[in-house]
Amino acid sequence: MERSESSRGKLVTRRRALGWIGSATLALAAGACTPVRIVLKMYPEEFETDPDLVDGVLRAFVTAVVPGMPGDHPNLTRAFYDDYYRLSKYRNFLAADLCERSRSMYGRTEFAELSLEQRTRVIEDGLDRGGVTKRLYVGAVFLAQIATYAGIYDAEEGCPLIGFQGRYDLSELAHVSHPHPERFLPPSRTTDGNPV
């Protein structure tokens, strides 16, 4: 059965299909597309197998975006491991990306070994990128700051960095009342204050 000339033009040749597949493979191998790199876990395997490496990078990240926060605080990186937040699925990629940027900018693979100023520049570089990379970095910065400043993992401690005392404490009446409340009340109509 012979095909008409118009139907032949609509068919994809084997050569063209292989060209498309080759181009897609080349793009993936180059790692040009952040979403593809995330989905296919196109980063060094050590970021999947070495939790201490990832935690060290994330601690260095949080201490850079939350000035004055001690690097050994027990809840410092907890939000990045909390499955309630979507970012927890991308923490390994974020750590790998921070190290990759630190290597390309400063020649050092360990992001945690950089000075605060250098770490800040690496983070700014991630924030300056477009698309998914920028969204990942913006989300990570906000998550780190909100978890720290709001004291979400330790309501009793709060956040001493900003003077947030934590859970509302009613132990001292002076903290929740005025010393002379009668100043704000209308004058009573009877001598004892009770209605007749």
Side-chain angles (χ1 to χ4, degrees), residues 32-41 93 131-133:
C33 184
T34 300
V36 173
R37 288 177 59 211
I38 293 172
V39 170
L40 297 179
K41 297 185 178 185
F93 176 79
V132 174
T133 302

Side-chain angles (χ1 to χ4, degrees), residues 39 97 116 118 141 146 149 176 179 187:
V39 170
D97 194 67
L116 177 60
Q118 290 172 326
V141 169
I146 289 169
Y149 292 135
V176 294

Side-chain angles (χ1 to χ4, degrees), residues 19 28 33 40-41 57 67-68 72 83 86 95 113 116 124 173 188 196:
L28 288 174
C33 184
L40 297 179
K41 297 185 178 185
V57 172
D72 60 348
D83 290 334
R86 287 184 181 174
E113 293 175 0
L116 177 60
E124 287 172 349
L173 190 58
S188 60
V196 180

Side-chain angles (χ1 to χ4, degrees), residues 111-138:
F111 174 76
E113 293 175 0
L114 299 176
S115 69
L116 177 60
E117 184 179 329
Q118 290 172 326
R119 284 183 282 147
T120 303
R121 286 192 184 132
V122 169
I123 294 166
E124 287 172 349
D125 184 63
L127 290 168
D128 289 341
R129 303 295 169 175
V132 174
T133 302
K134 180 175 182 169
R135 288 180 20 210
L136 176 68
Y137 275 77
V138 167

Side-chain angles (χ1 to χ4, degrees), residues 54-94:
V54 173
D55 193 60
V57 172
L58 293 177
R59 284 183 176 280
F61 174 80
V62 175
T63 56
V65 298
V66 182
M69 194 65 182
D72 60 348
H73 193 279
N75 293 324
L76 191 66
T77 59
R78 187 170 169 186
F80 291 100
Y81 295 89
D82 192 336
D83 290 334
Y84 180 78
Y85 303 108
R86 287 184 181 174
L87 201 73
S88 69
K89 293 186 276 188
Y90 309 113
R91 70 176 170 263
N92 295 343
F93 176 79
L94 175 64

